[in-house]
Amino acid sequence: MGIALIWSLITVLVRWILSKRRGAISYDSSDQTALYIRMLGACVIFKQLFSRDVRVRSQVGFEPERRGSHPYLGVDFRTLHSRAESAGSIPARRIRRLFSFQRHLLSSRLLRGAPHLNPLHILDDDYCGQAKCMLEKVGSWNFDIFLFDRLTNGNSLIFLTFHLLNQYGLIELFQLDMVKVRRFLVLVQEDYHNQNPYHNAVHAADVTQAMHCYLREPKLAQSLTSFDILLGLLAAATHDLDHPGVNQPFLIKTNHYLAALYRNTSVLENHHWRSAVGLLRETDLFSHLPAEDSMSIERQLGSLILATDISRQNDYLSRFRTHLDENDLCLGHSTHRHFVLQMALKCADICNPCRPWELSKQWSEKVTEEFFHQGDIEKKHKLEISPLCDSEANTIASVQIGFMTYVVEPLFAEWARFSDTRLSQTMLGHLGLNKASWSAMEPEASGSSEEGESEPARATEEPSSRALSQGSQES
């Protein structure tokens, strides 16, 4: 009895300390399936828009209304790539959801390096410790974003971006409010459709990590300003914000309102940019800066994100090649630095084939799954099937070989000319090995000469617009 009483007192004391320092979690007596999360004296919203006293429900199957998601042809973007779960998986899902909230509360303490106050969360301590160890090697090209996402319980984009902003000293330099930064990153992650096999928050985290690797390259590290680095990281984290899991041609031929709004030009990229600007304004992240500076951030953020439109791949590549041929890139000029940032983001966006095989193969399978799912929707509604989206006419290997040959190799060859470093050679090495691995899985690649001639011709005809826009990146 004495031990039980002491234990109860300790539990009450710990809860009181947590409620004073970090807020508290309590269950509403009238709704046992709702969690009220109160931190820093105010309700912090994870599933909705940080309005007062919002409930984060854990009912199975509940999905909050997602801004920017719109039904088309009777299909909802929110459920386009979702899978039905069996009844047996329900308890596990509830447990994962509860752990998610618990780790959200521990995350900011982890990022500050502060010790945990509650010794009872042994599992969470262990997971957070492993995630922190991984962040110490965030500059490694072999960084396993899938493992990191598991260790952070699906919060890889929040953890990684916050860590990098802090590591570069940007939070202190630009006097950013920590709560606003945290709120912004949570909203950004929430606005990615994690039902998408490829265009989701993990992809955004992967691109952000790759961008960090490029920002550390000698030419960039010696010339980029803190403002450039801030723009680069924000653009990487938001470059596919609210991506619906389908490509631009699909939106155009289904008469989606976004296609009309942006006049069929860089439809998805414009939407990603405007969505990012909306979150910046919603969270007042830069409200303390002069209005002119805030507008400059929004404008240049748009310039970076719009550069990821793969239909403009040849334009950017030609400009980059011309600069390198004439050796006239002067990183002392802000316009040239911005152009290099655009090229770095383009490389980060399509760098999956340049990763080690174990990581690259997973990304290839995910993007092809997303392609083929769009093709199935197009078949169902008797629409013309978009290139690379017909699962009966394409394989993962054929899609990847074409993409590597006509899009990835030319871009990274020029990047290696610009930044001839160990990282560039490593990326080209992985690219060659991965292409060989996919070629070995595609027996028809060397057998059928007639098919081999028609495929390059078709890919050369439109190497970047429709066929490769869908999953590889942008949009």
Side-chain angles (χ1 to χ4, degrees), residues 459-473:
T460 306
E461 182 182 357
E462 284 186 283
S464 46
S465 63
R466 309 184 186 173
L468 304 167
S469 69
Q470 311 179 34
S472 291
Q473 323 325 324

Side-chain angles (χ1 to χ4, degrees), residues 3 25 66 141 233 240 262 270 297 342 397 419 442 459:
I3 295 177
I25 298 178
R66 192 184 284 277
W141 190 247
L233 294 178
D240 272 333
Y262 297 115
N270 271 296
I297 291 175
Q342 289 176 318
S419 178
E442 187 71 5

